[in-house]
Amino acid sequence: MHSSFSDQLAGLDLSGFSIGPAPVSTNDFPVHDAVVQTLEAVWSDLFAMVSGTALEADAEDLGWAFVNIFHRSATRKSTAVDRATDEVRALLATADGSEIHTHELETQVERAQCAEGAMIALEEMREVAAALYLNEFGSSWKPVSSSRFNHSAMLTSALVEGREFVRARSEAKRRAAMPEGTPVIFAGGRTRHPNEQDALTFANNVWATLDKVHDRVPDMVLVHGGDTKGVDRLASSWAERRNIPQISFSLDTRLGARAGFKRNERMLSLDPRYVVAFPGNGVLERLVIEAKSRRITVVDRRGPLGTSPKRAAQDTD
């Protein structure tokens, strides 16, 4: 409290009787090593506590909620940045050159920068926690009803003109929503295997196939349906392990039976380099047919345990 109060006193502009909010920088937030060490310690203690108890069956739910704490906080900060950015746009539209208006514009930009810095710091904490979740449960963490944006842009400069801030914010949001790179569509349904060995073989085939595709497309962006109970889950975990950006197209349930076909259209509209197809339903079959009609290369792995159908046929012959 003493340090905080001293900082506020230091920010007083006695000639104008006002408090000037200090611009933020990366030094104002927890350093990466401290974040990693702290979250790893909390994670370890949490699961050591429930291990061997009746709550062990709920461990994955607890882990998901742990990551979600940081995700929700980052989302709230993102909303605050958007509100402040809207205020900046409104002030730019009504600029009159007065000292009062200029001061208000600078204040709004500083507020937006503070919220932006907090948002990026919280996103970093979420990603560290998500990595712990991946290591613990072997699957990629995914929010229920929102996107897992990761704003990789650096903090906006402390000395920035209003229009430049608005442009920088728009560009950062665009990069977070649409990572730069070459899209590769991954598609597959929900599969069941008679034993653990077959399930492991199938999972290994998924990862091996994606590794080969990645060798050909180093700047790959993985595009999938985001099904947490299907083969998409394996692909998403692979992407997170390899630090590959992902774009998830969830089903729009309002479209009913047309939802899957509409999702196919949206994914193909990205003009992907490849479509990687594992066993699925009729909607997936239609995706493969449409991709071939557009001359998009299909990596077909709809054979037994995620192998090539042609190779399986040759082995049978």
Side-chain angles (χ1 to χ4, degrees):
M1 291 295 294
H2 173 75
S3 175
S4 176
F5 183 66
S6 299
D7 291 342
Q8 292 182 39
L9 287 177
L12 287 173
D13 179 3
L14 297 181
S15 62
F17 299 99
S18 64
I19 298 177
V24 296
S25 70
T26 53
N27 295 327
D28 296 313
F29 299 99
V31 298
H32 180 74
D33 289 345
V35 170
V36 172
Q37 292 173 10
T38 302
L39 295 189
E40 283 182 346
V42 173
W43 185 275
S44 176
D45 289 345
L46 174 63
F47 289 101
M49 177 183 67
V50 301
S51 178
T53 73
L55 291 177
E56 189 169 6
D58 301 308
E60 186 166 357
D61 289 340
L62 290 173
W64 185 93
F66 182 81
V67 184
N68 197 50
I69 291 172
F70 302 103
H71 176 70
R72 291 186 62 185
S73 297
T75 300
R76 286 195 292 269
K77 286 298 180 182
S78 179
T79 301
V81 179
D82 289 339
R83 285 199 300 265
T85 303
D86 289 340
E87 291 290 338
V88 171
R89 289 195 182 97
L91 288 168
L92 288 171
T94 58
D96 57 11
S98 67
E99 183 177 348
I100 293 177
H101 186 279
T102 300
H103 175 72
E104 179 64 19
L105 178 60
E106 291 173 350
T107 300
Q108 288 296 339
V109 171
E110 287 172 346
R111 286 177 181 173
Q113 289 173 327
C114 289
E116 182 186 46
M119 173 191 69
I120 293 174
L122 288 165
E123 285 181 346
E124 179 190 15
M125 294 179 184
R126 180 200 61 201
E127 292 305 304
V128 171
L132 294 170
Y133 180 90
L134 177 64
N135 289 333
E136 186 79 28
F137 303 108
S139 60
S140 179
W141 184 88
K142 184 178 181 293
V144 171
S145 58
S146 59
S147 297
R148 182 178 161 183
F149 289 140
N150 190 13
H151 296 78
S152 59
M154 297 297 291
L155 289 176
T156 308
S157 172
L159 300 175
V160 64
E161 193 266 336
R163 290 181 180 82
E164 289 297 325
F165 173 81
V166 171
R167 281 196 290 268
R169 172 62 180 162
S170 298
E171 178 63 17
K173 291 183 71 175
R174 186 196 66 78
R175 284 198 300 268
M178 180 58 70
E180 294 183 359
T182 303
V184 171
I185 293 176
F186 179 92
R190 299 183 181 183
T191 58
R192 292 184 178 182
H193 303 283
N195 53 64
E196 291 186 5
Q197 184 58 46
D198 282 357
L200 179 60
T201 300
F202 180 79
N204 288 337
N205 285 338
V206 170
W207 280 44
T209 300
L210 289 172
D211 279 334
K212 290 178 180 178
V213 174
H214 185 224
D215 288 341
R216 295 189 178 187
V217 189
D219 64 340
M220 170 179 175
V221 175
L222 186 68
V223 180
H224 58 82
D227 184 1
T228 58
K229 296 181 180 180
V231 70
D232 288 345
R233 179 172 180 171
L234 291 172
S236 182
S237 298
W238 171 86
E240 192 156 342
R241 291 284 191 187
R242 303 290 192 266
N243 293 319
I244 305 297
Q246 306 177 54
I247 302 174
S248 174
F249 284 87
S250 300
L251 286 174
D252 186 349
T253 55
R254 296 171 299 178
L255 298 175
R258 296 187 297 111
F261 299 102
K262 185 62 177 178
R263 178 169 64 184
N264 287 352
E265 293 176 13
R266 293 169 62 200
M267 292 194 296
L268 289 172
S269 69
L270 299 179
D271 192 22
R273 173 78 174 275
Y274 293 103
V275 169
V276 181
F278 278 79
N281 56 18
V283 176
L284 184 142
E285 300 299 321
R286 190 64 205 174
L287 173 66
V288 171
I289 293 172
E290 185 63 24
K292 290 180 177 179
S293 71
R294 300 188 186 197
R295 300 185 180 278
I296 299 170
T297 302
V298 175
V299 180
D300 195 345
R301 293 295 182 269
R302 291 175 292 168
L305 298 180
T307 57
S308 170
K310 293 181 179 179
R311 183 176 301 173
Q314 292 172 356
D315 293 342
T316 301
D317 294 340

